[in-house]
Amino acid sequence: MADVIMKHSKALIALWLVVLVCALPFGIKSGDVLEYDMNSMSGSSTEASDGQAIIDEHFSNSIDLSEILVISYSSSEELAAAQAIFVEFQNLMDDKYGTKTTVSNYGTYSKGDPNVEGILMIAIANNEGESWDISHETDNIRDLVKEAKSNASAAYPEAAGLTTYVTGNDAITYDTENSSMEDVSKVDPLSILLIFVLLGLFFYAVVTAVVPPAVVGMAYGIALAAVYAIGCLMGVYYITQTLILVSMLGAGCDYAIFIITRYRDERKKGLSHEDALKTAIMWGGEAVFTSGISVIIGFAALALCDFAMVRTMGIILAIGIAIALVAALTFIPSLLNLVKDKIFWPSNIESYKRVEDKVQNGGKLGVHGHLSKGSKRYFAWLSRNTHKHSKLIAIALVVLCIPGLYIFAESEDSADMISVMPDSESVDGLDLIMTQTDGGTIMPTYIVLEMNESIATVGSLPYGGMSIPYVIWNEHGLDPATMTGAVPAVMRMTKDIDDEYEIVGSISGLNSWQIMYMTVESALGTTDPSTINQVLYGQMPSAVKGYVGMILAIASGQHDLTHIDPTAFDAPWNSHVVSELTVANIIDGILNVGTGILSDDGQYVSVMVITTDKPMSADTMDFLAELRSDLHDGDESYDSVYSSIWSASYVAGSSASIDDMSKDIEDQFSMIRIVVAILLIVLLFFILGSYLTPIRSIITILLSVFLTVALTHVVFEGLMDTPVLFLIPIVLFVVLLGLGMDYEIFMTTKIRENKIKGMNNDEAIDNAIKEAGPVISLCALLMGGTFLTLVLANSSMLKELGFALGMGILIDGLLMVGYVSPALMHLMGDWSWKGPGFLTKRHGLNPDGSNMAVPAACGAVPADAERIGGEMPVRAVPATPEEVAKYKQECYSEVAVRQDRIAALNAEVKTLTDNKRIGRLDEEGEKELEAKRSELKAEKESLREFQRKSREDLRSGKGQ
């Protein structure tokens, strides 16, 4: 791979730029395919989705509350002003949208006297269905509301000061979309600035600070084209676009930094540009590739979920990381090959060496020198103490995890999507509605009943430019002689539910004007139609009261319908209004078909339940579970008792959909968690060739997840009184198991590299902490910091995701990988590297974890000794344990340098050999090939002699 990159650097960079140019036109349109309503991101068939499908297909007259104008009033005068605003607004909407919308008075609502204080709700129905997106008209509708207030204030001065909100599902969607764009414009620059500052301080270079985020930006532009393509097929939830940028910035910069840092370190050791780049690609590239694959596995596992919201999130995040990974492995080395050390401008390799020399030997230190000195001191201290106090660290981990695991196990996640919506006018309007009426008013729960056969004939009566529905019950719907059938059965069920559950504010099922009339007649002990009708008229909901009054007035012979007299409603239920249609037929049509309770074909019934508590609250979700049990479970369930009336029942609505989604996702993630853990263990097993290290890595990351979830609950539930959404622990597990594995792999592969080069286990760990620790900590700060910028978002969902992911990365990268993993590997010793021989031998290790190429002890030559073909100098024989230890360390360092040189020579020989095979090697090339082969042979012989002589020196030493 190194040879290909170094030969074709310009071509690879040009290829990336061409792909970017081709992708940008599609990436720019990625925002057009984003979804902002979680209910639209459904998955496999659920009870709620099946019920909603029936409502969508069979109930053309169901109440549309996608957009609602809410007007708050606090006096009878203000109520009159609110009614005037409604009239003006209705006229303005008719002028602008014509038949596309219907504006209707949904009634006044109040927790007290509605004539004194409350809200007026005005429903704005979309008559075009899915062919017209009314949510994009929200701003225009709000402008019309302002104009209506201004017009109404001429006759009603109070109108100008009334508080109005345009809310509802479509308005919430619109506000969420705008809030998301604001979040992106606020979070993205901050994330990039954070990366630029941290990289600038780490490398003390401007170019190096710019390159990683710039390369990730290029990869992100390409990834947006994938967002658009996938969104055209299945839709993409809006938070995915924010998460993919933050994830790619964090992971992509990590990968780029790791390779650039390895190149810089090899150059500082004295290797040539070519050798340093090859070493960086060979060793750093392996670690980056392994890390990237682990992240992709974690994200791709989300695609196993049935729900489109989670599935597309996983697919897109996996694609984004894959693009960032390939960019880091190809574009970054290609750029390094072309610009060489200029990538560290205004610093350079010599300036880095001078700083290190001043740090070690004293001298005046600048900002970079102080940072370098502080870093070396900290990681030297960390190396000593993770070794010295490894048992104490393990005990502290257990003590720390006990309360964290307890909070994790005992805390309950929330499905309350309303509580995590971004602040906006639509959310304020929703809150106002919930303060003045029952919480579930605009997000009701529906009990959908599929009848064994049609229970009525449904039609419509044209009157005064309106279409008034009517219903004629058949014997399956209502038998007047015996008062049996679907209507009384559903009425009994709704009464039972209303009586049993305090959380039910109101429930609207099938109604029969005949049954209600006869019930009141019996209760009052009178047959006077005027008295009975007045009582029934007073019980009607405000949404239908006007229509019911109009029918009673017509049947009673009143001609001036602008001034209806309820005291003169003298028409009994069976009096005819027009032709063969009675008062009961038409009012039943208004009460059942007009309100969306009875389907157009009489085959389905939709019972509307409005809860007193907020939709999706914990109490509402508990009620849904009990309601489903009452409907479906056991011989006493409604489905069993009324099996002769209906064949199936469904609980639907927004709350039910989210409840189904949360439960199904959690059930599916029980399997997904296992799949991700097993795949990562298998990946690390084959790459590291170890039995225990992959398991230890997974365990430490899982502990990071538990601690982070516990901390998130403490901060948001305990301190901010915001419920933690059910998606947070699920996404955190997958993301952290992928992204958090980066740092485990960076550290573990460095330790293994040291083992391969001859160090024993403890020395390999200590050296890895000193050399890889700084860049791992930088990467953790970068990724954790970019996620934490999401806490500045308006959406509580993004705040929770940003906090959980950011803190999880910091806990894993700084605490677990910095302290816990090295301490555990010190305790495990060579058990960390025990594995099957066919894998360990590939890495130069024995199955028991010991090194194959380098003996248990070896010596090192002075720095000025000839390395290739030279004679071994005479050295003082180590005598004391301290001298032996120092002698060994010198040996390991020398062996590492020699093995790097051998690896570089091997690569050069292979390249020349390949060129010879295809006829591209001239005479000079042939000579160079022979010279390189001789140099490689001499280097290997020198290394073997070096090791042999070192063993002899140590055997004769007193301390050995």
Side-chain angles (χ1 to χ4, degrees):
M1 180 177 175
D3 293 333
V4 172
I5 291 173
M6 295 181 74
K7 284 181 182 178
H8 307 290
S9 297
K10 293 181 180 179
L12 286 171
I13 290 176
L15 178 61
W16 272 105
L17 296 177
V18 169
V19 172
L20 175 63
V21 170
C22 295
L24 278 179
F26 301 99
I28 292 171
K29 298 190 292 183
S30 60
D32 298 341
V33 299
L34 299 181
E35 297 283 351
Y36 296 87
D37 182 6
M38 188 179 288
N39 290 324
S40 66
M41 304 294 291
S42 60
S44 58
S45 176
T46 64
E47 180 178 335
S49 64
D50 291 344
Q52 189 61 49
I54 291 173
I55 293 174
D56 293 340
E57 183 177 354
H58 296 282
F59 291 81
S60 61
N61 291 323
S62 59
I63 298 173
D64 185 352
L65 297 179
S66 56
E67 295 249 357
I68 303 170
L69 170 59
V70 186
I71 307 175
S72 177
Y73 63 89
S74 56
S75 67
S76 57
E77 291 79 13
E78 288 187 355
L79 174 58
Q83 297 285 5
I85 292 173
F86 159 61
V87 174
E88 292 289 343
F89 177 69
Q90 189 177 43
N91 294 332
L92 291 171
M93 287 290 291
D94 287 343
D95 291 342
K96 185 172 181 64
Y97 297 110
T99 58
K100 284 186 175 182
T101 62
T102 299
V103 178
S104 56
N105 189 335
Y106 194 60
T108 56
Y109 295 85
S110 174
K111 290 291 178 71
D113 184 351
N115 293 315
V116 176
E117 181 182 11
I119 57 173
L120 174 64
M121 290 175 57
I122 299 164
I124 307 166
N126 176 11
N127 297 329
E128 300 293 313
E130 295 183 0
S131 62
W132 184 56
D133 189 357
I134 194 174
S135 69
H136 289 164
E137 299 296 321
T138 301
D139 254 355
N140 293 329
I141 292 173
R142 286 171 176 160
D143 289 340
L144 293 180
V145 172
K146 294 176 183 177
E147 187 176 347
K149 289 172 65 176
S150 176
N151 294 345
S153 63
Y156 298 88
E158 297 88 349
L162 293 184
T163 301
T164 59
Y165 299 103
V166 174
T167 184
N169 289 337
D170 283 341
I172 289 172
T173 297
Y174 174 80
D175 287 340
T176 302
E177 180 177 355
N178 283 346
S179 177
S180 173
M181 290 188 291
E182 289 177 11
D183 288 341
V184 169
S185 64
K186 180 169 51 179
V187 168
D188 291 355
L190 186 60
S191 299
I192 294 171
L193 177 63
L194 175 67
I195 292 172
F196 182 80
V197 170
L198 289 176
L199 289 180
L201 291 174
F202 184 79
F203 288 102
Y204 210 63
V206 174
V207 175
T208 323
V210 171
V211 167
V215 172
V216 173
M218 175 192 68
Y220 177 66
I222 296 170
L224 286 181
V227 172
Y228 177 76
I230 294 172
C232 289
L233 298 176
M234 58 184 74
V236 177
Y237 196 48
Y238 78 97
I239 66 171
T240 304
Q241 190 172 36
T242 303
L243 286 177
I244 189 176
L245 175 59
V246 176
S247 298
M248 290 181 69
L249 272 175
C253 287
D254 282 1
Y255 303 151
I257 292 163
F258 203 76
I259 291 175
I260 293 173
T261 303
R262 187 60 189 262
Y263 170 79
R264 184 194 65 176
D265 291 346
E266 297 303 324
R267 290 286 287 126
K268 283 159 61 177
K269 291 178 182 177
L271 291 185
S272 66
H273 161 73
E274 290 77 11
D275 291 344
L277 183 56
K278 287 180 180 179
T279 302
I281 295 172
M282 182 173 65
W283 290 105
E286 181 193 27
V288 165
F289 178 77
T290 305
S291 300
I293 294 298
S294 70
V295 177
I296 292 170
I297 287 174
F299 285 150
L302 291 172
L304 299 176
C305 184
D306 287 339
F307 282 87
M309 181 194 74
V310 179
R311 183 170 63 250
T312 56
M313 184 187 297
I315 293 171
I316 288 172
L317 289 175
I319 291 173
I321 295 299
I323 295 172
L325 173 64
V326 176
L329 290 175
T330 58
F331 193 97
I332 292 294
S334 297
L335 188 63
L336 279 170
N337 191 39
L338 294 178
V339 303
K340 299 181 173 60
D341 296 345
K342 294 184 181 66
I343 199 168
F344 303 114
W345 185 90
S347 295
N348 54 52
I349 299 301
E350 293 305 317
S351 67
Y352 289 138
K353 289 180 179 180
R354 286 195 299 271
V355 169
E356 287 200 359
D357 182 66
K358 290 179 180 179
V359 169
Q360 292 177 358
N361 303 316
K364 186 177 181 180
L365 299 177
V367 175
H368 190 207
H370 284 293
L371 291 174
S372 178
K373 183 176 182 179
S375 172
K376 287 183 179 297
R377 284 184 174 180
Y378 170 73
F379 287 101
W381 173 88
L382 186 62
S383 170
R384 292 193 306 272
N385 285 277
T386 53
H387 192 162
K388 182 179 179 181
H389 303 296
S390 55
K391 292 181 180 179
L392 183 61
I393 291 173
I395 294 171
L397 175 67
V398 174
V399 172
L400 180 64
C401 286
I402 290 175
L405 290 172
Y406 175 79
I407 296 173
F408 177 86
E410 293 298 316
S411 57
E412 291 188 6
D413 302 321
S414 171
D416 188 356
M417 299 300 300
I418 295 176
S419 66
V420 297
M421 289 178 181
D423 294 335
S424 62
E425 177 179 331
S426 57
V427 172
D428 292 341
L430 197 61
D431 291 338
L432 176 62
I433 292 172
M434 292 178 183
T435 61
Q436 291 294 340
T437 185
D438 291 326
T441 298
I442 69 167
M443 290 186 183
T445 295
Y446 298 96
I447 303 172
V448 181
L449 304 174
E450 184 175 353
M451 298 297 162
N452 290 327
E453 51 189 304
S454 178
I455 62 175
T457 298
V458 177
S460 61
L461 176 67
Y463 183 84
M466 296 183 296
S467 180
I468 303 175
Y470 67 82
V471 168
I472 301 174
W473 304 111
N474 59 34
E475 61 180 3
H476 305 293
L478 176 63
D479 187 337
T482 60
M483 286 298 170
T484 58
V487 175
V490 174
M491 291 179 75
R492 283 193 296 271
M493 181 189 74
T494 54
K495 185 178 184 304
D496 290 344
I497 293 172
D498 195 18
D499 293 341
E500 182 178 354
Y501 296 102
E502 291 184 6
I503 197 174
V504 176
S506 64
I507 181 168
S508 304
L510 286 178
N511 281 298
S512 163
W513 189 260
Q514 176 187 355
I515 293 177
M516 291 188 292
Y517 189 97
M518 296 174 68
T519 301
V520 173
E521 181 183 54
S522 175
L524 296 179
T526 180
T527 59
D528 177 36
S530 295
T531 303
I532 297 170
N533 284 335
Q534 281 186 63
V535 172
L536 289 175
Y537 176 73
Q539 295 174 350
M540 291 296 100
S542 58
V544 298
K545 195 170 188 174
Y547 298 103
V548 171
M550 181 182 69
I551 299 303
L552 290 173
I554 293 171
S556 302
Q558 297 184 35
H559 301 290
D560 184 6
L561 298 183
T562 60
H563 296 87
I564 294 173
D565 182 8
T567 63
F569 289 161
D570 58 1
W573 67 270
N574 56 356
S575 60
H576 288 80
V577 179
V578 59
S579 185
E580 298 300 318
L581 298 177
T582 66
V583 170
N585 292 145
I586 300 178
I587 294 182
D588 284 355
I590 294 170
L591 296 179
N592 296 287
V593 179
T595 58
I597 293 173
L598 181 66
S599 66
D600 298 337
D601 57 5
Q603 187 73 45
Y604 300 93
V605 171
S606 176
V607 177
M608 184 168 65
V609 183
I610 295 177
T611 57
T612 57
D613 208 353
K614 294 181 179 180
M616 306 176 200
S617 69
D619 288 342
T620 298
M621 294 309 193
D622 290 341
F623 161 66
L624 292 180
E626 294 178 20
L627 179 61
R628 282 173 166 157
S629 178
D630 289 344
L631 283 168
H632 311 315
D633 298 343
D635 295 335
E636 300 299 319
S637 66
Y638 292 118
D639 286 350
S640 297
V641 172
Y642 295 112
S643 59
S644 62
I645 305 294
W646 61 75
S647 57
S649 65
Y650 311 87
V651 177
S654 297
S655 298
S657 296
I658 295 297
D659 188 46
D660 280 347
M661 181 184 296
S662 64
K663 290 177 179 176
D664 279 10
I665 289 176
E666 287 176 355
D667 289 343
Q668 291 175 27
F669 262 83
S670 297
M671 177 268 293
I672 291 175
R673 289 184 182 99
I674 296 172
V675 169
V676 172
I678 291 175
L679 288 176
L680 289 179
I681 288 173
V682 171
L683 172 70
L684 294 181
F685 170 72
F686 281 102
I687 288 177
L688 299 177
S690 167
Y691 293 124
L692 298 180
T693 296
I695 298 173
R696 193 267 311 150
S697 298
I698 295 293
I699 290 174
T700 54
I701 292 180
L702 289 179
L703 292 176
S704 299
V705 173
F706 297 147
L707 290 173
T708 305
V709 171
L711 183 61
T712 303
H713 275 282
V714 169
V715 171
F716 282 90
E717 283 187 349
L719 301 179
M720 301 174 62
D721 196 28
T722 302
V724 176
L725 197 64
F726 72 94
L727 284 173
I728 303 302
I730 291 170
V731 174
L732 177 64
F733 175 88
V734 174
V735 172
L736 200 57
L737 208 58
L739 293 177
M741 187 62 73
D742 278 357
Y743 312 122
E744 282 285 345
I745 291 173
F746 288 165
M747 179 64 76
T748 304
T749 52
K750 181 61 180 176
I751 296 172
R752 188 198 62 186
E753 178 187 341
N754 290 339
K755 283 280 292 180
I756 293 171
K757 292 179 177 178
M759 299 184 191
N760 64 35
N761 190 66
D762 288 344
E763 291 164 335
I765 295 169
D766 294 344
N767 177 267
I769 292 174
K770 294 173 184 176
E771 292 196 2
V775 69
I776 290 174
S777 296
L778 171 68
C779 290
L781 289 171
L782 283 173
M783 190 181 297
T786 53
F787 276 120
L788 283 174
T789 58
L790 292 176
V791 300
L792 300 175
N794 293 322
S795 167
S796 292
M797 183 193 302
L798 283 177
K799 289 181 189 232
E800 291 180 358
L801 278 171
F803 178 83
L805 294 172
M807 293 305 300
I809 292 294
L810 293 177
I811 289 172
D812 185 68
L814 301 182
L815 178 62
M816 292 297 178
V817 176
Y819 290 82
V820 175
S821 294
L824 293 179
M825 294 186 77
H826 275 300
L827 293 174
M828 292 167 64
D830 281 341
W831 279 94
S832 295
W833 306 107
K834 290 182 184 293
F838 75 95
L839 288 177
T840 60
K841 289 178 181 177
R842 290 196 307 118
H843 303 308
L845 301 176
N846 293 310
D848 64 356
S850 61
N851 191 276
M852 293 174 61
V854 180
C858 60
V861 297
D864 56 353
E866 180 66 29
R867 291 180 177 175
I868 301 176
E871 294 295 327
M872 296 299 296
V874 178
R875 294 180 56 90
V877 177
T880 67
E882 290 77 13
E883 290 177 341
V884 171
K886 182 179 179 182
Y887 200 64
K888 287 182 180 180
Q889 184 59 50
E890 292 173 349
C891 163
Y892 298 142
S893 299
E894 180 63 21
V895 168
V897 172
R898 287 170 178 263
Q899 288 185 330
D900 285 343
R901 177 60 180 167
I902 289 173
L905 285 170
N906 266 321
E908 292 182 55
V909 168
K910 183 180 183 303
T911 300
L912 291 169
T913 303
D914 290 342
N915 287 336
K916 180 179 180 181
R917 186 177 63 252
I918 60 177
R920 290 185 178 178
L921 211 62
D922 55 16
E923 185 176 346
E924 289 297 322
E926 292 277 2
K927 293 179 180 179
E928 183 182 1
L929 174 58
E930 290 304 317
K932 290 292 182 182
R933 284 174 174 171
S934 299
E935 187 179 355
L936 177 61
K937 181 179 179 181
E939 182 71 37
K940 289 180 178 179
E941 290 176 353
S942 176
L943 177 59
R944 285 193 292 270
E945 178 61 22
F946 171 69
Q947 292 169 338
R948 183 193 65 75
K949 184 71 170 76
S950 299
R951 284 196 297 270
E952 291 178 357
D953 289 344
L954 282 167
R955 288 194 192 103
S956 61
K958 298 177 183 178
Q960 181 61 20

